[in-house]
Amino acid sequence: MEKDSEKMPETTTTSNMEEQVNQQERDPESNSLHQPLLKRNRTLSSSPLALVGTKVSYIESLDYEINENDLFKHDWRTRSQAQVLQYVFLKWLLAFLVGLLTGVIATLINLAVENIAGYKLLAVVHYIERKRYMMGFFLMTGVNFILTLMATLLCVFFAPTAAGPGIPEIKAYLNGVDTPNMYGATTMFVKIIGSIGAVAAGLDLGKEGPLVHIGACIASLLGQGGPDNYRIRWKWIRYFNNDRDRRDIITCGASSGVCAAFRAPVGGVLFALEEVATWWRSALLWRTFFSTAVVVVVLRTFMEYCKEGECGLFGEGGLIMFDVSGVSVNYHVVDLIPVTIIGIIGGVLGSLYNYALHKVLRLYNLINEKGKLAKILLSLSVSLFTSACLYGLPFLASCTPCDPSALDSECPTTGRMGNFKKFNCPKGHYNDLATLLLTTNDDAVRNIFSTNTPSEYRVFSLVIFFILYCILGLFTFGIAVPSGLFLPIILMGSAYGRLLGMAMGPYTTIDQGLFAVLGAASLMAGSMRMTVSLCVIFLELTNNLLLLPITMLVLLISKSVGDCFNPSIYEIILDLKGLPFLEAHPEPWMRNITVGELADVKPPVVTLSGIEKVGWIVEVLRNTTHNAFAVVDNTLVPTGGQMSEVHGLILRAHLLLVLKKKWFLQERRRTEEWEIREKFTWVDVAERWGTIEEVAVTKEEMEMYVDLHPLTNTTPYTVVETMSVAKALVQFRQVGLRHMLVLPKYHGPSVPPVVGILTRQDLRAHNILSAFPHLEKSHASKKGR
């Protein structure tokens, strides 16, 4: 089977990547053993290049399928009840540690952000109160510049994969795509420090996406026993050195990251179920829920401790929390009209945001091609523009007198917290735009979500706030710093939600703060296309079940409207990066083509005999990039001839293991079960064993033999050649396959035992259409009629 790979879309392929693709096409070793070097007209081959983080990498798929060979069967047969319980206990222990460490790191990130940004803003306000406006501007701009520079340098020089949110790469990994260098220790530390710097610098990005990536990194490092160079080699840790268990642990980490960002344990589990994970089962549901429960306990413990004033400026704030448990939510049938309107607006604006962000990311790809200096300058330019807007725009807003009924300590507030920032206003007045801009992002959300404040914000200020964050939200995401999409979308959505609440004020009983919540939910659903998980996250944030019906309605309308225009933002990013993500629903025209027809346009399948010559194995490995090979045995038939039958599938890694261990036979014979156990262990089979170039085989050894039967997976997933591609795609994705064997419908002495082997890139829609362009034309003509 070919190494799973994906071709970059034409709209985003850069000149550097085109050169690498051309080199790959000219490389004879990338061709099948039996394929001529002349390029075929109809082929499903593609380049194994994709953007992982901000770096062009070679990618391949993951082996989620259980490899049921003789060693695996013997291992499970000989495990005692105590060993099985120990294995299960270790899974739960890892889930606990993932939740514990994610909660601790999330608290430290929030504590650092609140203190760095808080003291910076206090110093800026101090200069403003003394009318030293230029000093305040230079201080704010300088600190933001240094923090952004620190985050950018770390990402550019130490961990390019730490830039961005990391959620698209996690989605691809859990879908079955290996995303290299995404979960290392260096990436995790750069993500932590970089997100602190970027968020504290006031950039229009959140720490929610990075927290999901950090949780996945923690889970991956725990599952493999530490960083690559310093792994713990305990026997029971090595049980998790397989893609299947590692996938489950990373799912727990992603759920814990969402929980840590929003303090929403159930929402974190549902986010992983709805948005991230492709594979799910009940045991995984319990472990992810256990991890998120641990995260909540850790966060609550730290927040109770910090309320005593032991954490500097980190006290009531630090985590997005909109508590309306004491607010009575009253709405009538008439209120469904503005709720429906806000849902439609959210769907339209969300799809527009996705479209515009797609164009900006394509532009940024061209800029980032210029080199590391271009990435640094781009980030610093965005930082300077952001600082200038956040500091200068509040001067455009007029001062508003405080409510006479408000206490003197509430209005105006001169500190960091509070809804009534004095800024440059006289005593007894406040600046509503400064309340939203000259504060941390979490406090901005808290302020604009505030209830029972119908006259606090002016229309002019909210319009300025909305336009600014639309611009910043487009141009900040994509720079070389850790960034999340949740918070910018929440800020944009809450602004137009509050504006609609002000416009509908005389005709509705819903509070303006609740309109802001509904606006944020609608834009998130319109852009990210989440429903169930988003609904639960907002319910856990608001702490009020009375919001459930209208929140559900808004989310359903926004997602439905957004789906009419373009895919979700994460699907767009996956497509831009070239990651071969398999969608849940096949294209309608895929029912008009069979897997046998797909296999026909691929190079002829390379098979191995059950007892194979060492020289042929070496030649096959050197001249193909296949990751697995069908093992075929010849058997006698009653008519006196021979018929080939498929014994199973053997991985390239296991062939390399045989060559490195020198498990050769002098004569062609079957080995006994004890012979394989003397040479190999289940740990050896789980490891990956480099490349064929690292193996040295002498001429004498080339003439020897290898019995492949003990290492062959005798139960690979197979389909008949007459199955439609649509049905095969659903099975491929749901089971989490890497290889799908296509067998002939009829068997006989003259019929080859294997028609072909399909991989994920063979089932990608645009790859199929490149070989069968008439499928899209026929589907378009049917739609036209």
Side-chain angles (χ1 to χ4, degrees), residues 1 93 108 145 170 179 191 238 267 302 315 362 387 479 542 581 593 667 671 675 754 768 785:
M1 163 178 159
L93 178 61
L108 294 177
F145 186 90
I170 296 173
T179 47
K191 200 84 174 184
R238 299 184 75 177
F302 273 99
R362 287 177 57 189
S387 299
I479 63 176
T542 57
F581 185 85
I593 182 174
E667 68 279 354
T671 56
E675 292 182 85
V754 181
I768 298 175
R785 284 182 286 179

Side-chain angles (χ1 to χ4, degrees), residues 632-687:
V632 177
D633 283 330
N634 294 321
T635 57
L636 296 176
V637 296
T639 57
Q642 282 191 339
M643 186 175 72
S644 299
E645 63 177 17
V646 179
H647 180 73
L649 202 67
I650 189 165
L651 300 180
R652 170 181 285 264
H654 295 168
L655 293 175
L656 291 171
L657 173 64
V658 166
L659 296 179
K660 285 195 174 185
K661 294 273 189 176
K662 307 283 186 184
W663 192 56
F664 305 145
L665 303 173
Q666 294 291 343
E667 68 279 354
R668 184 186 291 267
R669 68 175 178 87
R670 292 286 293 263
T671 56
E672 301 293 335
E673 188 175 335
W674 60 267
E675 292 182 85
I676 185 73
R677 295 202 305 270
E678 279 189 347
K679 195 71 175 180
F680 304 106
T681 65
W682 56 268
V683 174
D684 295 328
V685 176
E687 296 285 348

